[in-house]
Amino acid sequence: MTDCISRIAQVLNKHASLLSNQDDLVPYNRGTEGFSNNSGEGIVAIVKPYNTEDVSCLLNLANELSSIPDLRFTVNPISTGLNWGYGTSQPPRCNSRVVILDLSSLTNIEFTADLGLITVEPGVTQKQLSDFLIGQGDSFMVPVTGAGPSCSILSNAIERGYGITPNTDHFGAVTAIHGYWANGTKYTSAINELDQSEEKIVDKTYKWGVGPYLDGLFTQSNFGVATSMTIRLAKKPEKFVSFIIRVPSDSDMEQATLLIRKVLSDYEGIVGSINLMDKRRLLSMFADNPSPSEHKVMSDELIKTLSDSLQTSDWTIMGSIYGTEGVAKIVKKEIKQIFSQLNCSQIYSDSAIFPIANKVIKWTPNFLFKHIPVLSLVKKQLASFERGKEIMLGRPNKMALKLAYWRHKDAKKIKPEDLSPAKDGCGLLWYAPLVTMNPTVMRKYVEFIRATCPKYNIEPLVTFTNLKHDCVDSTIPIIFDLSNPQAVEDAHNCLKDLVLNGLKLGFVPYRLNIDQQQWLLDANSPFWQTTNKIKLALDPNQILNIGRYNPQ
Ligand SMILES: Cc1cc2nc3c(=O)[nH]c(=O)nc-3n(C[C@H](O)[C@H](O)[C@H](O)COP(=O)(O)OP(=O)(O)OC[C@H]3O[C@@H](n4cnc5c(N)ncnc54)[C@H](O)[C@@H]3O)c2cc1C
């Protein structure tokens, strides 16, 4: 093994880092999922390249040594390794010597300002891109996610993740990819190869290229390593209005769904994505769990107490309007009209109430917050509203990360700016199925979640996010105490139950965790057989990201 590591050291740039001490490996073996991955040698080293040349050298070496059992190693690329709930930075399969290719050191950014095209290397985080764009005049939005400032832009698109700015579908906004296939061959699109100009800009402006579309082969796959990606950024609007609609009665969910569908199809491009969240989900984001170490779901009485104190309704709709002053004004008026058909209260961020409330809070002496709880509540809600607005405007923050700490004993002791779920030992898995945007199906789904999760003492927390008017993905965070073996077992069984019985009802996950990738996919189905043929062509020595979306 030492030999394989010394061979790696020989091919890397002298500024690259190669770590193989046990202490250095610890963070890479850590995840929120509670997976035990001890079937083989596992992670033996970490390579942090100095430049993209190092990526090519490492892949070439892995291919060269692949037939020598004593030296053979496989390569697992990560960008920031914060794939919390889906595997974090852990390799999908560990039955070989794994070298983690940690691309977080590659942080170059190129900007074609007049066209709003940004080209980022894998290590560029949401915060870095945000700071960069602010420095360039603050005219464009970062495609942020709830995972927050420290996560890579590129790898979220590689996972086909989504957010709630107008560029909801993150891979959808990607126009060009550069990288290496597993066999070491360099990749750029055919347009880039044909273009003889010095700037080679047209490739960045046109997603589909010429000939077969190969950029997509880098996503949810193990065929290659992406070393840069161009993204068409959404422009910051002249006017932005976010809205929160509180639906007091659970039974109004169906009608709310129909109205959301209408808003999204009537105002496509003006209204970003819309989130529909149930009461428990909202409480888990904003309330403190009174008994985080208890492995059981909240009682109805507790929910009532918490939701009364936080004034949480059965369902909450959250969305935003992006446009010119005139367009936003008209659309806001029409949306108000549409939702007035529902028994609900509507709050818009440009309402006169906000500056007044903010002034009142600002001038209230601190001691009064202790004595008048409602003031403290208003203060918290205004702060949350501001932080939610930031995300919708493409400014990353850690607001959503609190959710991962719902069953964490020391949640209150960790400062909001320090939240880092895997480092802090949070237990979290995601169930993220696509659900047909149809009220009857969505009700069936809600009933399914509410019946299944509590059987395993998992809180049923429901969010629906519209990726389009006709496409909704639901995220169910399975939150558990990672230090309690029974809770870990229950969480895994809960997710398995949801996935397997969900498939029978037509609920299919849009993204899988590293464990599901090993047992859910049928290697003999026509789809995966074809995928395996592509894998063999691009990775004949089987050296890259073994087991990632690749059943054998
Ligand atoms: C509270 C909370 C909220 C979240 N909200 C969201 C959300 O709103 N939207 C969302 O999508 N996710 C969300 N997540 C899930 C997850 O944390 C994010 O998707 C995160 O961005 C993924 O981690 P990463 O970017 O560090 O990817 P990494 O861990 O670096 O990589 C993810 C996968 O991509 C592969 N990969 C990475 N880089 C490359 C490369 N250069 N070439 C080839 N393959 C590569 C890796 O092998 C790995 O399997 C959330 C998580 C939490 C805890």
Side-chain angles (χ1 to χ4, degrees), residues 30-36 83-88 90 284 289 291-297 401-411 421-422 424-431 453 456-461 476-496 498 513 515-516:
R30 199 160 50 195
T32 64
E33 302 80 9
F35 296 146
S36 50
N83 205 5
W84 297 309
Y86 294 106
T88 311
Q90 301 164 100
S284 69
N289 185 350
S291 14
S293 41
E294 272 188 16
H295 179 48
K296 64 175 196 191
V297 297
L401 285 184
K402 187 167 181 269
L403 170 78
Y405 293 72
W406 183 250
R407 292 263 172 97
H408 193 293
K409 293 183 188 94
D410 297 323
D424 297 333
C426 297
L428 168 75
L429 288 156
W430 288 107
Y431 174 52
C453 291
Y456 302 92
N457 294 311
I458 297 295
E459 206 68 65
L461 312 170
I476 308 295
I478 296 178
I479 308 171
F480 54 99
D481 177 359
L482 195 61
S483 66
N484 173 352
Q486 184 60 52
V488 176
E489 193 184 326
D490 281 352
H492 289 180
N493 288 335
C494 177
L495 182 55
K496 204 162 198 168
L498 288 171
N513 70 42
D515 177 57
Q516 293 161 342

Side-chain angles (χ1 to χ4, degrees), residues 23 35 77 118 144 152 160 178 222 224 266 273 284-285 292 305 330 377 384 392 427 435 441 473 500 511 523 533 542:
D23 286 354
F35 296 146
I118 196 90
V144 291
S152 159
R160 301 208 288 261
H178 287 205
N222 60 358
D266 286 0
S273 169
S284 69
M285 284 169 72
T305 311
I330 292 172
L377 172 66
S384 302
M392 288 171 175
V435 181
V441 178
D473 187 65
L500 293 178
R511 180 173 169 184
K533 283 182 190 152
Q542 300 288 303

Side-chain angles (χ1 to χ4, degrees), residues 2-20 44-62 64-65 73 75 99-103 105-106 180:
T2 321
D3 275 345
C4 127
I5 290 169
S6 56
R7 290 290 296 272
I8 293 173
Q10 282 164 17
V11 300
L12 296 178
N13 184 295
K14 66 173 190 260
H15 299 295
S17 51
L18 172 61
L19 313 168
S20 57
V44 296
I46 312 299
V47 168
K48 290 190 181 179
Y50 175 67
N51 53 27
T52 53
E53 193 94 323
D54 283 330
V55 176
S56 155
C57 292
L58 186 70
L59 292 175
N60 288 337
L61 183 70
E64 186 190 321
L65 302 182
F73 67 91
V75 177
V99 172
I100 300 279
L101 175 58
D102 179 347
L103 299 158
S105 50
L106 303 181
Y180 295 94

